[in-house]
Amino acid sequence: MSSENYAQIRKGGSLLLAWRIENKRVLIVGGGNVAAGRIVKTLEADANVTVVCPDDGLNDEVRYRINQNQVHNWINRNFEECDLENVDMVLTAIDDHVRSREIYYMCKARKIPVNVADVPSLCDFYFMAEHRDGPLQIGISSNGQAPKLATMIRQRVADALPENIGMAISKVGNLRQKLRDIDSDYESSKKRMGWMIRVCKEWSLNELANLDDKMTDLLLSFYSKDEVPSFNSIVKVARSTEDVNKDEEKRARSRIILVGAGPGDPSLLTIKAMTLLSQADLILSDRLVPAAILEYAKGEVRFASAKSGSEKTCSSDVSQDELLNWALEALEAGKLVVRLKVGDPFLFGRGGEEVLFFKKRGWDVEVVPGISSSLSAPLAAHIPVTHRGISDQVLITTGQGTKGRMPEIPEYNPMRTTVVLMAVGKAKNLSELLLDRAYPSDLPAMFVENGHRPNEKIVRATVGDLGEIVERENVVSPATLVIGRAVDALLIDEEQQG
Ligand SMILES: C[C@@]1(CC(=O)O)C2=NC(=C\c3[nH]c(c(CCC(=O)O)c3CC(=O)O)Cc3[nH]c(c(CC(=O)O)c3CCC(=O)O)/C=C3\N/C(=C\2)[C@@H](CCC(=O)O)[C@]3(C)CC(=O)O)/[C@H]1CCC(=O)O
Ligand SMILES: NC(=O)c1ccc[n+]([C@@H]2O[C@H](COP(=O)([O-])OP(=O)(O)OC[C@H]3O[C@@H](n4cnc5c(N)ncnc54)[C@H](O)[C@@H]3O)[C@@H](O)[C@H]2O)c1
């Protein structure tokens, strides 16, 4: 065997070890500067530390550590031999050489390892100049030759280290522990070590320092195949699942709900509508919804921009698109969106179109009913839309069909109440249409303008004079028109009672 294959033996050193003294009883004799340094070093090694030193000998730092109960035990007097009972290690740091030596021999007699700060030749072990960063411990020893130089070298080494080296070591420690949990077989030792060595060599310190729990688990999933993927590939997978989780979190709050605001009186809102109004991040409201209702909104309220009044027949569609796109953006951003509509969302509210719009884009729409003015406006005018012997059916229609066409209205039936929404603009045409369908010219009718609002106005008419009444009485929208014998149903009852 050739000698150059093996390290030369360089005599005269001391054995460098990381001595585990957790919970070991360490006695420190003295309370000055050197003792203060010993206290720190032994406490950082989780030892059970006793200091023996009279009160007047304590320096500020030692006194502080005693007062903070960092030191487990303080004996307030000079050292006595009995202090060596049940002690695992002794460190003397006193300015009394004679006593130091005596203590040394007492320790020898009891086979207690001892460091005598002022007499290197009496030390079983020397302290080192230390650098610590998390689990990293670097000790510099000049083996008693030049402690100050050891201190200076310690500083240079520390300055030369990569910034997050301590973190990298912690992360590798965690990885090794988890690896042993996965594969604890004694026989797997070679495979485990080989894989760990590759991880440490193939990943940079920075990459190791940036391992989080999720990435650690991902990395470990390659162990069974004995593969070490690159840091970047692990980051990519970890990020994408993170994004999926974030998306899911966002989606969990993302909701779009079509809410009916009812006729305009806040007390006629459903409890559900009120609750949703207060919870929503964004409320997209029709202009017609009164401020008294919007007061319940805590989130941002936006309105469909008022009809532009341009010649385009679909000018209102432009604002509708804008509104729906706001809703989509808010949903993507994880918001709870309420689309607030007067009356009931599905009764001439274009609610169905909006449901389809969102469905096509992957969002299910909840719908909260509202009280429609087709049913509440007659009530405001004391008209029962059905009444035994007078009306057993109700027709709800619009006065303005799509693109300005008049609605299809069936032949007159005396037992039917006809309710016309958006009836003001085409009142004259409506009158002609109804007469054409054999509605009697003197059949009673009632305009209910702004029903259930503070500015409610109720105007009587007949089928024959709808157009003139609108002009003469200045009836304006929003107004509901109720036609049929039911209009007078309660009047007749009152007269009968009288
Ligand atoms: C590394 C460190 C660890 C620690 O103590 O924790 C440590 N001394 C440190 C500092 C330091 N000590 C001294 C000075 C003043 C300058 C100078 O004299 O050089 C400075 C510098 C300063 O204070 O800046 C004076 C001194 N030290 C010893 C004697 C007795 C003698 O030599 O006879 C005297 C003379 C007393 C006198 O003349 O009266 C003895 C020892 N000091 C040792 C360790 C062991 C050898 C380690 C090695 O050689 O590497 C050893 C043998 C026994 C032991 O103590 O374990 C710590 C750095 C802490 C840090 O910064 O990390
Ligand atoms: N190892 C080293 O790194 C190093 C560094 C500097 C000094 N020294 C040597 O270490 C000794 C201590 O240095 P220091 O700076 O801490 O001195 P210091 O004067 O600050 O402290 C001496 C302490 O010893 C206490 N003391 C004295 N006799 C005692 C006894 N019988 N029982 C209990 N406590 C007693 C005093 O009350 C005082 O608290 C000195 O002899 C010094 O030469 C060693």
Side-chain angles (χ1 to χ4, degrees):
M1 263 190 222
S2 92
S3 59
E4 62 263 26
N5 288 338
Y6 303 104
Q8 285 245 316
I9 309 293
R10 288 156 296 182
K11 291 278 188 181
S14 29
L15 181 63
L16 296 181
L17 294 169
W19 196 344
R20 308 276 294 128
I21 56 166
E22 183 185 359
N23 296 326
K24 297 274 187 242
R25 284 148 308 182
V26 174
L27 180 71
I28 297 175
V29 187
N33 289 333
V34 175
R38 300 294 192 250
I39 289 171
V40 172
K41 286 189 174 174
T42 50
L43 286 179
E44 285 187 337
D46 297 333
N48 182 319
V49 175
T50 298
V51 171
V52 55
C53 180
D55 188 81
D56 59 6
L58 301 179
N59 81 358
D60 286 351
E61 182 178 350
V62 175
R63 188 179 301 283
Y64 167 82
R65 304 223 183 267
I66 289 170
N67 288 341
Q68 294 290 309
N69 291 322
Q70 293 176 359
V71 168
H72 298 76
N73 218 342
W74 169 44
I75 303 170
N76 180 9
R77 54 164 165 73
N78 278 330
F79 171 83
E80 284 173 19
E81 186 162 7
C82 61
D83 298 334
L84 298 179
E85 285 300 322
N86 294 319
V87 163
D88 299 307
M89 174 186 280
V90 172
L91 314 173
T92 74
I94 58 177
D95 48 358
D96 178 345
H97 288 280
V98 177
R99 195 65 177 139
S100 275
R101 282 170 188 277
E102 286 170 5
I103 296 172
Y104 170 78
Y105 289 110
M106 288 178 214
C107 289
K108 286 296 101 184
R110 291 167 187 258
K111 296 191 174 11
I112 303 172
V114 58
N115 174 285
V116 182
D118 48 333
V119 193
S121 58
L122 297 186
C123 288
D124 288 325
F125 51 89
Y126 293 155
F127 280 84
M128 291 195 243
E130 285 182 5
H131 172 76
R132 288 174 184 269
D133 179 0
L136 174 66
Q137 331 183 106
I138 297 175
I140 307 292
S141 173
S142 73
N143 205 23
Q145 302 296 301
K148 182 61 188 171
L149 286 184
T151 306
M152 289 156 66
I153 294 165
R154 186 263 324 256
Q155 194 54 53
R156 280 216 205 174
V157 170
D159 292 346
L161 289 171
E163 207 174 300
N164 40 18
I165 179 93
M167 189 54 83
I169 293 171
S170 294
K171 297 297 175 64
V172 170
N174 184 41
L175 178 68
R176 282 183 83 225
Q177 183 54 52
K178 283 190 166 180
L179 177 58
R180 282 169 166 273
D181 293 344
I182 291 173
D183 181 3
S184 51
D185 281 357
Y186 179 72
E187 289 74 30
S188 304
S189 173
K190 256 197 172 157
K191 183 182 175 190
R192 272 198 309 265
M193 289 201 289
W195 189 78
M196 269 318 304
I197 289 169
R198 279 180 62 197
V199 171
C200 291
K201 282 166 81 172
E202 290 173 29
W203 283 34
S204 72
L205 285 178
N206 229 341
E207 290 170 345
L208 291 168
N210 281 308
L211 257 179
D212 60 19
D213 278 348
K214 192 190 284 166
M215 289 166 66
T216 303
D217 292 343
L218 268 169
L219 175 57
L220 281 166
S221 68
F222 287 84
Y223 167 71
S224 58
K225 295 174 270 176
D226 201 21
E227 280 174 16
V228 176
S230 74
F231 173 80
N232 284 336
S233 66
I234 292 285
V235 167
K236 241 184 228 164
V237 179
R239 291 261 163 84
S240 67
T241 55
E242 224 164 65
D243 288 349
V244 167
N245 290 346
K246 270 191 196 147
D247 281 357
E248 274 168 8
E249 257 170 46
K250 267 191 190 172
R251 288 236 165 198
R253 171 130 182 112
S254 292
R255 272 164 80 197
I256 168 99
I257 304 138
L258 271 185
V259 176
D265 178 346
S267 67
L268 292 178
L269 277 174
T270 60
I271 291 171
K272 192 163 187 180
M274 247 171 83
T275 309
L276 284 167
L277 269 179
S278 68
Q279 289 174 345
D281 302 305
L282 176 64
I283 296 102
L284 298 170
S285 175
D286 280 351
R287 286 263 170 211
L288 277 175
V289 177
I293 285 180
L294 291 171
E295 266 174 24
Y296 292 99
K298 297 214 175 78
E300 183 191 359
V301 181
R302 290 204 211 170
F303 297 95
S305 40
K307 289 185 184 179
S308 64
S310 74
E311 285 81 38
K312 281 188 285 176
T313 47
C314 56
S315 61
S316 66
D317 291 343
V318 176
S319 66
Q320 178 75 359
D321 278 356
E322 206 176 335
L323 202 79
L324 296 179
N325 285 325
W326 285 340
L328 275 184
E329 276 172 28
L331 286 170
E332 296 297 342
K335 291 183 176 171
L336 173 58
V337 183
V338 158
R339 171 73 178 100
L340 192 62
K341 295 178 149 294
V342 286
D344 182 90
F346 280 178
L347 197 72
F348 297 117
R350 297 181 67 169
E353 291 169 38
E354 296 188 10
V355 168
L356 289 172
F357 173 91
F358 290 110
K359 258 198 159 170
K360 274 186 200 153
R361 287 154 183 86
W363 297 98
D364 279 332
V365 182
E366 294 164 59
V367 184
V368 176
I371 299 175
S372 165
S373 59
S374 59
L375 298 177
S376 64
L379 261 68
H382 288 274
I383 301 166
V385 285
T386 65
H387 193 82
R388 205 146 54 93
I390 291 179
S391 168
D392 59 10
Q393 54 186 261
V394 184
L395 171 71
I396 299 171
T397 182
T398 168
Q400 316 226 14
T402 39
K403 295 182 180 159
R405 269 192 235 109
M406 291 306 287
E408 288 294 331
I409 290 183
E411 208 67 11
Y412 177 62
N413 176 342
M415 289 296 285
R416 180 195 305 138
T417 305
T418 303
V419 178
V420 187
L421 300 173
M422 294 160 274
V424 179
K426 293 268 168 75
K428 193 165 182 298
N429 308 45
L430 188 66
S431 179
E432 285 161 11
L433 173 68
L434 291 171
L435 292 171
D436 189 55
R437 295 286 181 275
Y439 277 61
S441 175
D442 60 353
L443 187 68
M446 197 79 94
F447 285 101
V448 183
E449 184 188 302
N450 284 303
H452 288 109
R453 296 189 188 202
N455 51 348
E456 179 182 279
K457 177 168 139 188
I458 295 167
V459 178
R460 272 191 84 85
T462 60
V463 165
D465 63 8
L466 295 177
E468 293 102 274
I469 291 292
V470 163
E471 288 209 355
R472 197 176 68 216
E473 301 290 333
N474 191 26
V475 181
V476 294
S477 59
T480 304
L481 174 61
V482 194
I483 304 159
R485 298 190 301 141
V487 168
D488 288 338
L490 297 188
L491 284 184
I492 292 162
D493 276 354
E494 274 164 21
E495 273 168 18
Q496 279 174 347
Q497 275 166 14

